[in-house]
Amino acid sequence: MSSIVPTMRHVRGFDVARPLSIGVLVFMMLPLVFLPLASIFIFGTSKGLTSFWAALMAPEAIFALKLSMVTSFWATAFNVLFGLFAAYVLSRYNFLGRNALIVTISLPTAIPTAVAGFALLLLWGPYGILGRFLAPQGIQTMFTAGAIILANIFVTFPLAFGVIKPVFDTMSRSLEEASATIGATRLQTFWHVTLPSLRGAIVSGALLTFARAVGEFGSTILVSGNLAGRTQTAPLYIFAKFNEGQIEAANAIAIVLALFSFLIFSVLFFARDWLDVD
Amino acid sequence: MKAQQAMVSEVTTSSDANRSAAPVATRVVGVSKRFGKTSVLENINFDVAEGEALVLLGASGSGKTTILRIIAGLEQPYTGKVMLHGKDVTELPARERGVGVIFQSYALFPKMTVEKNIGYGLRIRHRKRKEIRETVDELLALVQLEEHRKKYPSQLSGGQQQRVAIARTLAYKPEVLLFDEPFGALDAQTRKHLRREIRALLRKVNVPAIFITHDQEEALELGDRIAVINLGHIEQIGTPLEVYSNPVNEYVATFLGAANILAGVIKSRNIEVGSALIPLHESDDFADGQKVKLVFRPEDVSLTKSGDAGPGPSCIARGIVEVTNFVGAYERVSVRIDFSDSCTDETDEEFYLTTQTPESQTSKAIIATRPKPEATAMRLKQGDRVAVNLSSFTVLPDLPPRQKEAPKK
């Protein structure tokens, strides 16, 4: 019976499944991703670009954006260098506890960010395990820009490492051996042979880390103290202004952050060929 | 054994005399190596003269790559020394030895162009730009890759990559070139072609070279001398002709080329194999009653049909043709020798071939090869009765093969 009924799929060579499945995909993403993003732009610009610009140029808003960029930059710089070093050690040497270290490095992504911030407070806070000895010396780590960097480092810890390590693992040892027999020192080999092969991984690792750090909220709100104009990052600013009912102020920063992440991921996506060039 | 050694050393000394004019470029003295408790190399000794090509031939796991890595400084020997042009370099790291290693995968730097790869050795030595450019130009011309100078390694064929790898090492005038299975990654046609190319190139630049291979054909063609390596020992070292025609033991005989091996006993200056008596060579020195092995190459066997020309003076027995196989340049014939059927026995009875014949004392299969003209002139088919004549053979004492060493406690 079924063989007599013509199938729906191919109607005179036209594949119905193709436009249908693409349509379903876009339709499903509409309320989940597209519309929320679109709302930011619709609301943010609904009262005209001048009021958007004024909201953006508020001193506290500019400070929050700057603070986010600076703290994310230092966290990224540290995590890329550390990730490079950790990937080198963990792919070159085999030792007892190596796998345990790899798991530990990867752990921070799995920990809720609020827990991460809380953990940092328990260590560095005025009554924390280390903090209680530092506080009498007048050294205050929490509720400063330094605390934001620490929190950013913690939550983005494995990102650069995770991108760089696989490249190390697949890199042929004979390249470095060849360089040595040609007469290069370890440093020359690293600089001329190893590093160029890691270029793509380093750049994409850095972009990922930076994007993640700029958006960090959960841990930052715990460790920074959320002091406007002093330790308030861009995501905290959005939250604070929203609570105060200043939707426009929150919205202006939200647009900037959304555009910013859009930019980073476009670079990651479209520069893929350049990043992976062999 | 003594006889063999005497013969080999005689030949070796004569070729040594030829080589003595060239100074020793690389010397490996008493090198042994252990990984943990397993011994992988035992007392390795050899010299490579200036401009000479030595091939280390051995099966995988024989330790040949370890020898290469020890010379390059990528691996430390357990005992022994490595000397380059008279200088003991055993304690020097790889980068201070100045040897050129051509890795199996070529290990070209993927992010550098051909000319950057070739100039790398000079760049890290902080040579002047002009000097680097001139050397790179010279080497590009030498390996005929001028038009590819701006390309990246991934854009080159296997053969071109290999030439870049060689040029890259020649740039800093290496003490010796070490080739690790240089043709392993290439197809058979390219392989043959590149072998000749590299041989010609080496003659031009006159740099001593050590090749590693498991391919006997490659060894015969590339090497001025061949060292056959087995389980961490050098079994024999000599010119291709010496090693091929006078193998010192069964391993060498069977690893380098095909060999037929028959067990025999010495009886008053004759080797008794089955019912055949084969006179010993003048130089062979064996005691009466000693067990020996008669080793001969398939091409040293000539087959004559009974009734035709009759058995030659070097006939050892008669046999029956089991299989004939045409393999291009020659025909391969498998003959089951029947030692109860002596050469002088001229009966013309019918023989029946049974495939189920158990391997008995008197019956043994050997392989003979015949060049195409001979194969066409005298056709052989399954079941033909032939006389087996030997034009050349080697007699070796019956020794047990080398055992893989048990891990030392």
Side-chain angles (χ1 to χ4, degrees), chain B residues 277-303:
Chain B
L277 279 179
I278 301 150
L280 272 176
H281 296 301
E282 290 277 313
S283 53
D284 280 349
D285 184 18
F286 291 103
D288 237 24
Q290 191 180 344
K291 281 189 175 170
V292 292
K293 284 200 166 143
L294 185 70
V295 180
F296 53 96
R297 302 284 179 194
E299 68 269 20
D300 293 334
V301 180
S302 66
L303 303 172

Side-chain angles (χ1 to χ4, degrees), chain B residues 26 80 92 189 215 226 308 354:
Chain B
T26 304
L92 286 185
Q189 283 300 319
D215 183 331
I226 296 175
D308 282 7
T354 55

